Structure formats: structure tokens, C-alpha cells
Amino acid sequence: MATIGLFYGTQTGNTKIIAEKIQGAFAGTAVVQLHDIAAADPTDFEAYDNLIIGCPTWNLGELQADWDGFYDELDNIDFGGKRVAYSGAGDQVGYADNFGDAIGILEAKISERGGVTVGYWPTTNYEFRESQALRGEQFVGLLIDEENQSDLTDQRIQQWVTQLKKEFGL
Ligand SMILES: Cc1cc2nc3c(=O)[nH]c(=O)nc-3n(C[C@H](O)[C@H](O)[C@H](O)COP(=O)(O)O)c2cc1C
């Protein structure tokens, strides 16, 4: 049984690739089980104490379509006692006023339902104007920008997973 459930949604594939890279950095399927939110059921979350939520931002600060469709189901999940990390894809140049908003929207809901947020990430080396993913000076999770900083993606994932291994207590 995997110890981490990674639930992702994607429109053009980037977040799936990021999810697979995160899974690889944790050493594979024995540790991280991937779930496409388009096919997920609320009961799928029950199996895990550690969760990673992967959601890109679309349409000026909105959730990716499958996450948008699942959003109301979050009210049927008890996140009490679960550690939850967030990773999102976004475009800090094209959408500088809404950079990575989606993970901020999901974190607000899931922490209201009892989830304990881990995996905060520094804003160093990003340039944007506004983001709902901000919590104080930090992002609520890992933001990946394939449009403008794809050269940093692998290194960011490795660093974040190293951090998460400690925060998940693995
Ligand atoms: C029409 C459109 C709207 C977008 N809106 C946003 C946005 O509001 N904020 C943001 O950070 N990125 C935005 N993006 C960038 C996507 O989040 C980015 O391309 C991401 O890598 C897509 O991930 P996916 O392939 O997993 O769907 C938008 C892209 C498009 C084409």
C-alpha cells in the first residue's frame, strides 16, 4: 500500500508529467499512488494519511476543469489528521495577476475540512504580481512554470520532495 496519494487534474498534460516526476523522486509507486481526479471518488482519499494535490490554474484564476467538477465533493471528505501538500502549474508571465491561484483555492477548502498543510515553498526566483497561492511570504505549495522556467522544474521537484519526505515523516 502506497503511503502517499497524489490526486491530480490536467488540461494539457503538464500536471500529469509533474505528478510522475514527483512519484519518481519519492522512489516510485510503492510510495506514491497517482489518481486522476477525473476518475476519482471521495472514498479514494480515505486510504492515505499523506496527500499531494496537483492542480494547474486555468481561465484567470480558476481550478482546472476536473478539479472544478470535484470541488463540491471535497465537503464529503474528512481531511482531519491528514497531511496535505499542494503542487500546481501556472504561467507567471502570461497570468501574473493570477499565478498559481488554484492551489490556494484548494488549500483554503481542504484546510477548512481539517487538512494540515505541509510543503510551503519560497517565492524566490519567481516574478508575478498577485497570487491566491500566497500564505504570507511563501507559496502554499510548489509552483511549476513550464512556460517560462521549465529549466528549473526538475531541480524544484527534487528539492520539494526532499523537504516533503521530512514533513511527511518518511
Ligand atoms: C487559457 C489559459 C488560461 C490560463 N490561466 C492561468 C491562470 O489564471 N494562472 C496561471 O498561473 N496560469 C494560467 N494558465 C497557464 C497554465 O496553468 C499552464 O499552461 C499549465 O502548465 C497547464 O497545466 P496542465 O497542462 O496540467 O493543464 C493558463 C493557460 C491558458 C492556455
Side-chain angles (χ1 to χ4, degrees), residues 53-108:
I53 302 295
C55 183
T57 304
W58 277 89
N59 303 327
L60 296 180
E62 293 187 8
L63 302 180
Q64 181 270 339
D66 300 310
W67 269 114
D68 195 47
F70 195 85
Y71 185 78
D72 287 344
E73 298 279 12
L74 294 171
D75 284 324
N76 300 322
I77 301 170
D78 179 8
F79 287 96
K82 295 186 191 293
R83 285 174 288 236
V84 190
Y86 299 82
S87 100
D91 173 352
Q92 65 197 286
V93 175
Y95 301 91
D97 292 324
N98 297 92
F99 180 47
D101 281 357
I103 60 169
I105 295 166
L106 289 173
E107 193 267 349

Side-chain angles (χ1 to χ4, degrees), residues 4-130:
I4 303 169
L6 195 168
F7 292 79
Y8 71 90
T10 186
Q11 217 60 29
T12 56
N14 289 339
T15 304
K16 182 174 188 197
I17 292 169
I18 293 164
E20 288 166 351
K21 286 183 173 180
I22 291 170
Q23 183 185 48
F26 268 107
T29 51
V31 183
V32 179
Q33 183 71 45
L34 300 186
H35 295 265
D36 186 339
I37 199 66
D41 187 89
T43 56
D44 294 337
F45 287 76
E46 290 169 8
Y48 308 102
D49 292 331
N50 298 317
L51 295 165
I52 301 175
I53 302 295
C55 183
T57 304
W58 277 89
N59 303 327
L60 296 180
E62 293 187 8
L63 302 180
Q64 181 270 339
D66 300 310
W67 269 114
D68 195 47
F70 195 85
Y71 185 78
D72 287 344
E73 298 279 12
L74 294 171
D75 284 324
N76 300 322
I77 301 170
D78 179 8
F79 287 96
K82 295 186 191 293
R83 285 174 288 236
V84 190
Y86 299 82
S87 100
D91 173 352
Q92 65 197 286
V93 175
Y95 301 91
D97 292 324
N98 297 92
F99 180 47
D101 281 357
I103 60 169
I105 295 166
L106 289 173
E107 193 267 349
K109 170 61 105 183
I110 290 170
S111 58
E112 182 189 297
R113 305 276 315 138
V116 177
T117 303
V118 298
Y120 289 94
W121 185 249
T123 58
T124 324
N125 299 327
Y126 298 87
E127 280 191 42
F128 62 99
R129 283 189 295 270
E130 289 181 33

Side-chain angles (χ1 to χ4, degrees), residues 134-148:
L134 282 175
R135 298 292 182 270
E137 298 290 302
Q138 303 186 92
F139 289 127
V140 76
L142 175 69
L143 283 176
I144 295 294
D145 186 339
E146 286 295 299
E147 274 85 354
N148 308 292

